[in-house]
Amino acid sequence: MGEETDIPEKTREEDIATSLGNESELSAFQRGSQEPFSKARQFYRTHAQLFQRILWGLLCTAYFAYVLTACILNFQRALALFVLTCLVLFFLACSLIRKHFGKKLLRYGKPFENSQLWLWLKWGLIAVALVGLILWLILDTAQRPKQLISFAGICMFVIILFACSKYHFAVSWRAVFWGLMLEFALGILVIRTDPGFAAFQWLGEQIQIFLNYTVAGSSFVFGDALIKDVFAFQALPIIVFFSCVMSVLYYLGLMQWVIVKIAWILQITLGTTATETLSVAGNIFVGMTEAPLLIRPYLPDMTSSEIHAVMTGGFATISGTVLGAYITFGIDPASLVSASVMAAPFQWNTLPGRLCEAASSGAADSIGLIANIAANLIAFLAVLAFINAVLSWLGEMVNIEGLSFQVICSYVLRPIVFMMGVNWEDCPMVAEMLGTKFFLNEFVAYERLSQYKNKRLSGIEEWVGGEKQWISVRAEIITTFSLCGFANLSSMGITLGGLTSMAPTRKSDFAKLVTRALLTGACVSLVNACVAGILYVPRGAEANCASFLNTTNFTSPSYEIYVCCREFFQR
């Protein structure tokens, strides 16, 4: 049993040779089986551009076939899709022309760049625009003289900004003029023209429908009862959803494309530099700390004027993430969108995984924003209650009843609100909200505006016990524009922290400019409100009570019925 069986040396060599032969045959078989895949991969890499063109061609053909089918079946229903498609085609055509013929066009236009004819043409266009604006104001305000107050408000705020300017002779009046012209053009499109009004109303409704999908996630996590009754579970989850969507759009490159196109339009009209224009355009969609990321490499070398413009853009607009929260309050979506408007390489083989990663990252990033909003609301409302208690106690000492922060604001800011075009009886309530926005937070101010709007829509009487319960539709629109922006004292710290982290060497410059930029951003919102006051026209029952009453069932009280009854009784 202890003996070992001897294996001949020749047999071992044969086994080893056989094993090595099998392995080589297996390796050759594997190489042979993998060879077609290697050739296919190499062929794809060689002709990758051709395959991408074929794929894009098929996708575009399918899309245009879909649009054509939708237009043939029901053009009215497909009108929005048709308009969006035309806008995208317009910008694509401009990009192609600029790419292939831009240098030639610049070469042909260079002889006229500094010529006397070009200067006469430029000043002639400015003169025509000014004369047209004056004539339009005369003819339009002949029916509604109240609009002239809003125009005087624009002049007043421009003069204030000029007086507070550090370098009066360095003011770019071209940027001021064209900025106002763009505001008027957009305002006329949104407020005065029926197609523009309908388009922005439709856009606001679509945003509202889109944001309502948040309920599917928040109701599963928190339950139906909480999302219906508790503010934190009703409005704040929308920020998570919107942040997730914005992150996906940024990953796909769509937001960058839109921002660059808007920045291009602003740059050629206003004559501003590329960096500051790109940041301001980005503020339409993202917050005051996210937009400067678009120009982060240039921040250390930017001039004080450019930094001031970047800061002002952050203070004068709101981000897309909080836009959804304001809409849930009941604020008019069309007004919010129009007030806020005035920036990745694509790999098909890893798109699904990276899209999920972008969506998850966007949702996670919103947690800090939500915590910041919730903390600020708790702190500001608590501080406001404390301040009001102290002011009430001090007022009672000298027989002044009901003294509060809102009452002080209603007196101090009333002239400013009146110059925006608000009726005098609505001025105290609007001044309260404006003061709340500037000294505390626009979130709190918009929540207060939503309370007034809900009271008006529910049919509550305008005056109860000598106290006004709601403001007019005109005052609501003007207030919506004036509150649309991050220009409040707490935002100064947010702006300084964000910009300093991007360019630590410019910390002292940021600190010197932030207060001036805050006031400028606040004035920009007030000028927007004045433009809305000039262009606002009554609609519905306010415009034609007879038509409204003939098509209305008097089943419950409403604001429209109240307006019509008041008008008939006044007659």
Side-chain angles (χ1 to χ4, degrees):
M1 294 177 62
E3 297 179 359
E4 295 181 358
T5 305
D6 294 333
I7 300 177
E9 190 69 25
K10 186 177 181 180
T11 304
R12 290 181 178 178
E13 293 177 357
E14 291 177 353
D15 292 341
I16 293 173
T18 303
S19 175
L20 290 175
N22 292 336
E23 289 180 1
S24 63
E25 289 177 3
L26 179 62
S27 178
F29 174 76
Q30 290 176 344
R31 287 197 302 270
S33 61
Q34 292 178 356
E35 189 173 351
F37 297 103
S38 300
K39 290 181 178 179
R41 190 184 302 112
Q42 185 62 32
F43 181 78
Y44 172 77
R45 289 176 179 175
T46 306
H47 303 85
Q49 190 174 8
L50 176 63
F51 280 113
Q52 288 181 3
R53 290 179 179 177
I54 293 173
L55 181 59
W56 277 109
L58 292 174
L59 289 174
C60 291
T61 302
Y63 176 77
F64 285 117
Y66 171 78
V67 173
L68 181 62
T69 304
C71 293
I72 292 174
L73 292 176
N74 190 332
F75 183 76
Q76 191 66 28
R77 182 178 59 190
L79 181 60
L81 180 65
F82 178 77
V83 172
L84 291 175
T85 304
C86 291
L87 286 175
V88 173
L89 289 176
F90 171 76
F91 281 112
L92 287 176
C94 291
S95 298
L96 290 174
I97 293 173
R98 187 180 180 184
K99 180 180 179 181
H100 296 287
F101 305 102
K103 292 182 179 180
K104 291 183 179 179
L105 293 175
L106 287 175
R107 189 164 56 250
Y108 292 148
K110 199 163 187 179
F112 303 97
E113 187 174 353
N114 296 318
S115 66
Q116 194 71 21
L117 178 62
W118 174 250
L119 291 176
W120 279 103
L121 180 62
K122 183 172 69 174
W123 285 107
L125 289 175
I126 294 175
V128 169
L130 279 174
V131 172
L133 176 62
I134 294 172
L135 291 176
W136 181 83
L137 283 172
I138 294 173
L139 296 174
D140 190 68
T141 56
Q143 299 177 349
R144 288 175 290 271
K146 189 186 302 182
Q147 294 169 301
L148 285 175
I149 299 177
S150 298
F151 180 74
I154 293 179
C155 298
M156 181 186 74
F157 292 125
V158 171
I159 291 172
I160 290 174
L161 289 174
F162 176 75
C164 297
S165 176
K166 193 172 183 180
Y167 304 102
H168 297 89
F169 295 102
V171 174
S172 175
W173 290 107
R174 173 189 172 182
V176 174
F177 175 78
W178 282 112
L180 289 174
M181 288 296 101
L182 286 177
E183 284 191 66
F184 268 99
L186 181 62
I188 290 173
L189 174 66
V190 176
I191 300 175
R192 283 300 182 88
T193 64
D194 290 334
F197 181 80
F200 270 77
Q201 283 293 108
W202 175 86
L203 180 61
E205 292 172 0
Q206 302 312 306
I207 293 176
Q208 181 69 67
I209 294 172
F210 177 71
L211 294 176
N212 286 338
Y213 290 114
T214 310
V215 177
S218 56
S219 62
F220 177 80
V221 176
F222 304 118
D224 294 333
L226 287 176
I227 64 173
K228 289 180 180 179
D229 301 327
V230 182
F231 165 79
F233 302 107
Q234 184 182 48
L236 297 184
I238 289 178
I239 298 176
V240 178
F241 176 51
F242 211 90
S243 177
C244 170
V245 173
M246 291 290 287
S247 180
V248 171
L249 293 178
Y250 260 95
Y251 173 76
L252 294 177
L254 294 178
M255 291 308 305
Q256 292 93 318
W257 184 81
V258 173
I259 289 172
V260 167
K261 298 306 175 187
I262 295 175
W264 175 71
I265 294 174
L266 293 176
Q267 187 179 3
I268 62 174
T269 53
L270 303 180
T272 50
T273 62
T275 51
E276 61 184 349
T277 308
L278 187 63
S279 177
V280 171
N283 277 122
I284 299 174
F285 305 98
V286 295
M288 62 176 69
T289 55
E290 292 87 355
L293 290 173
L294 297 168
I295 56 169
R296 183 173 185 173
Y298 307 100
L299 275 175
D301 302 319
M302 291 176 69
T303 65
S304 297
S305 175
E306 291 172 332
I307 292 174
H308 183 273
V310 170
M311 287 184 171
T312 301
F315 289 128
T317 56
I318 59 173
S319 64
T321 50
V322 298
L323 175 72
Y326 298 150
I327 292 175
T328 60
F329 291 165
I331 309 300
D332 182 41
S335 298
L336 279 174
V337 173
S338 55
S340 187
V341 171
M342 301 253 223
F346 198 82
Q347 299 182 21
W348 286 94
N349 56 338
T350 57
L351 178 62
R354 295 193 176 182
L355 276 180
C356 293
E357 182 182 353
S360 176
S361 176
D365 291 341
S366 66
I367 295 176
L369 177 61
I370 290 175
N372 182 52
I373 291 174
N376 282 334
L377 288 177
I378 294 171
F380 288 143
L381 290 175
V383 169
L384 179 61
F386 172 73
I387 291 174
N388 285 340
V390 173
L391 290 174
S392 177
W393 177 70
L394 293 175
E396 290 175 355
M397 297 292 180
V398 290
N399 295 330
I400 299 177
E401 299 294 333
L403 183 63
S404 65
F405 173 79
Q406 291 90 332
V407 171
I408 295 174
C409 289
S410 69
Y411 283 100
V412 174
L413 299 176
R414 192 175 300 186
I416 293 177
V417 172
F418 177 75
M419 292 303 294
M420 292 192 302
V422 178
N423 294 334
W424 184 253
E425 60 270 18
D426 292 327
C427 284
M429 304 166 76
V430 177
E432 289 178 10
M433 292 183 282
L434 193 62
T436 301
K437 179 251 184 177
F438 185 79
F439 293 104
L440 296 178
N441 190 285
E442 73 283 344
F443 224 93
V444 182
Y446 271 127
E447 197 274 334
R448 185 63 174 169
L449 177 61
S450 71
Q451 293 180 8
Y452 291 140
K453 183 176 181 179
N454 291 333
K455 289 181 179 180
R456 177 179 63 80
L457 294 177
S458 62
I460 294 178
E461 292 186 16
E462 186 174 6
W463 295 89
V464 176
E467 184 177 353
K468 209 167 190 300
Q469 300 299 307
W470 43 262
I471 58 179
S472 65
V473 177
R474 173 185 171 84
E476 282 182 6
I477 299 298
I478 294 175
T479 306
T480 301
F481 277 78
S482 66
L483 299 182
C484 189
F486 289 135
N488 54 67
L489 297 180
S490 62
S491 296
M492 294 175 62
I494 298 173
T495 300
L496 283 177
L499 292 178
T500 301
S501 64
M502 299 179 203
T505 57
R506 304 297 301 272
K507 182 178 181 180
S508 59
D509 295 327
F510 296 150
K512 293 177 183 176
L513 295 171
V514 67
T515 304
R516 192 180 296 270
L518 174 70
L519 297 176
T520 307
C523 285
V524 170
S525 298
L526 299 180
V527 170
N528 286 340
C530 291
V531 173
I534 294 174
L535 299 175
Y536 172 78
V537 290
R539 293 180 181 271
E542 290 185 322
N544 192 341
C545 275
S547 175
F548 172 78
L549 294 175
N550 288 332
T551 58
T552 302
N553 296 322
F554 298 92
T555 55
S556 60
S558 67
Y559 168 72
E560 288 80 7
I561 296 175
Y562 172 83
V563 168
C564 290
C565 292
R566 183 180 62 181
E567 180 180 334
F568 287 130
F569 276 113
Q570 286 177 349
R571 290 180 181 177

